[in-house]
Amino acid sequence: MKLIHLTDTHFVPQPATLFGLSPRDRFDAALESINADHSDADLVVITGDLAHWGEVAAYEELQKRISGFKSPVVMMIGNHDDRAALRTVFPDAMNDGSGFVQGSRVVDGHRLIFLDTKQQGTHAGAYCEARRAWLAGELAKGEEPVLLFMHHPPFLTGISSMDMVTQQDADALWQVLEPHSGRIRHIFLGHVHRPIFGNWHGISFSLIPGLNHQVPLVLEPHGDDIPGSYEPPAYAVVSVGADGLVIHLNYFLDQSRRFPLDGYEVKGREYALGFPASEG
Ligand SMILES: [Fe+2]
């Protein structure tokens, strides 16, 4: 199975920019890159914060583009999204039967489960009893390996401002997951707008950069003022095999020079030591 993971597209009504950047142009560049190099993906998953202010006009910008993918797309929501506005533009958006934008599907023998962690009125994440009951039901549907997708990380990252708006009820979520932890192979995350990897209760996770703006690595306590940065956007290319899972980040806007690392074997030691001056 091959997946593409995108997150935090933060669309705004056009022609506006957001923090001096164009979510639309960046999305278009990612779309072009994915279609050019990864059109064989089984699924594209966007893990929330589709629109910065949850506006209908912003979802309409996304809607113009979503059919451009050559692979099926799953759209999740994050703290910046608005369920009603999303459904106005995407009436077929996921619905768990209680109005939450969550669902699951089986792909290549794996159950992919997409959680709605938005809590109205806060940027922090929550996963209420109704949602936990739905998740327990999804996990009980079979014994296949599980890939979990959620917007908010259920752990602290060390970036104080983002930790203040992280998942607030991670222990309750873990109560639901723990009986199945042996078959949960990975958790895919967004929200923090930077690359972070590790494990939670022994389950590996990947948290990837956003498509528009980023959050720099600031590990000193800084209250609730979230710092922003122009670090490059990326999407993830995920290969899922029988015995493991490999994730690559693709910094799709990168246009820096590419060159043969083993050129010195042909051109001599000076090629490497003098580079790039010797190449003009
Ligand atoms: Fe975000």
Side-chain angles (χ1 to χ4, degrees):
M1 176 179 14
K2 179 175 181 178
L3 305 173
I4 299 296
H5 177 198
L6 304 175
T7 199
D8 294 83
T9 51
H10 284 257
F11 267 87
V12 291
Q14 292 304 304
T17 56
L18 180 65
F19 305 127
L21 304 168
S22 169
R24 176 191 61 183
D25 291 352
R26 289 186 154 210
F27 188 91
D28 285 346
L31 175 62
E32 185 178 343
S33 167
I34 291 163
N35 280 343
D37 298 331
H38 308 292
S39 62
D40 57 340
D42 294 289
L43 195 67
V44 174
V45 183
I46 310 175
T47 50
D49 279 2
L50 304 171
H52 190 66
W53 285 292
E55 297 157 296
V56 167
Y59 291 119
E60 286 172 343
E61 285 299 321
L62 175 59
Q63 199 259 346
K64 288 176 193 168
R65 293 165 166 78
I66 213 80
S67 60
F69 284 106
K70 293 176 181 173
S71 305
V73 181
V74 170
M75 290 180 296
M76 298 171 58
I77 65 165
N79 47 294
H80 282 270
D81 289 303
D82 182 275
R83 293 186 188 96
L86 176 78
R87 293 196 195 287
T88 299
V89 180
F90 296 101
D92 296 330
M94 291 188 292
N95 193 328
D96 66 356
S98 300
F100 294 107
V101 185
Q102 53 182 8
S104 82
R105 64 170 72 187
V106 174
V107 182
D108 196 26
H110 291 67
R111 181 166 295 277
L112 280 58
I113 307 180
F114 312 100
L115 309 188
D116 175 343
T117 58
K118 177 181 172 67
Q119 177 76 350
Q120 201 64 36
T122 173
H123 283 298
Y127 206 64
C128 60
E129 195 173 343
R131 282 175 276 189
R132 295 199 299 271
W134 172 86
L135 175 58
E138 291 301 312
L139 289 165
K141 282 183 174 175
E143 291 299 318
E144 62 277 272
V146 170
L147 301 177
L148 211 57
F149 297 79
M150 53 194 290
H151 182 72
H152 294 82
F155 48 81
L156 300 179
T157 63
I159 300 174
S160 65
S161 54
M162 293 306 294
D163 285 345
M164 293 172 82
V165 290
T166 196
Q167 189 75 19
Q168 300 298 296
D169 47 13
D171 289 346
L173 173 64
W174 178 245
Q175 298 278 311
V176 179
L177 297 175
E178 187 175 19
H180 306 272
S181 59
R183 64 187 179 100
I184 301 174
R185 296 185 64 187
H186 194 73
I187 306 175
F188 298 87
L189 301 160
H191 188 53
V192 189
H193 293 234
R194 65 172 301 102
I196 304 173
F197 308 92
N199 73 73
W200 178 58
H201 290 291
I203 302 172
S204 61
F205 69 78
S206 52
L207 195 165
I208 65 171
L211 237 58
N212 195 62
H213 50 286
Q214 313 302 336
V215 171
L217 180 61
V218 180
L219 294 175
E220 296 78 26
H222 54 274
D224 59 0
D225 287 334
I226 300 173
S229 86
Y230 284 165
E231 289 167 80
Y235 62 80
V237 181
V238 184
S239 300
V240 184
D243 57 357
L245 174 149
V246 174
I247 301 174
H248 294 279
L249 283 183
N250 185 8
Y251 294 97
F252 58 94
L253 292 184
D254 178 65
Q255 294 187 317
S256 61
R257 184 178 184 175
R258 297 188 180 195
F259 51 90
L261 284 176
D262 57 357
Y264 65 89
E265 292 177 359
V266 176
K267 300 178 181 178
R269 202 164 176 268
E270 291 310 309
Y271 165 80
L273 290 174
F275 194 87
S278 62
E279 290 292 294

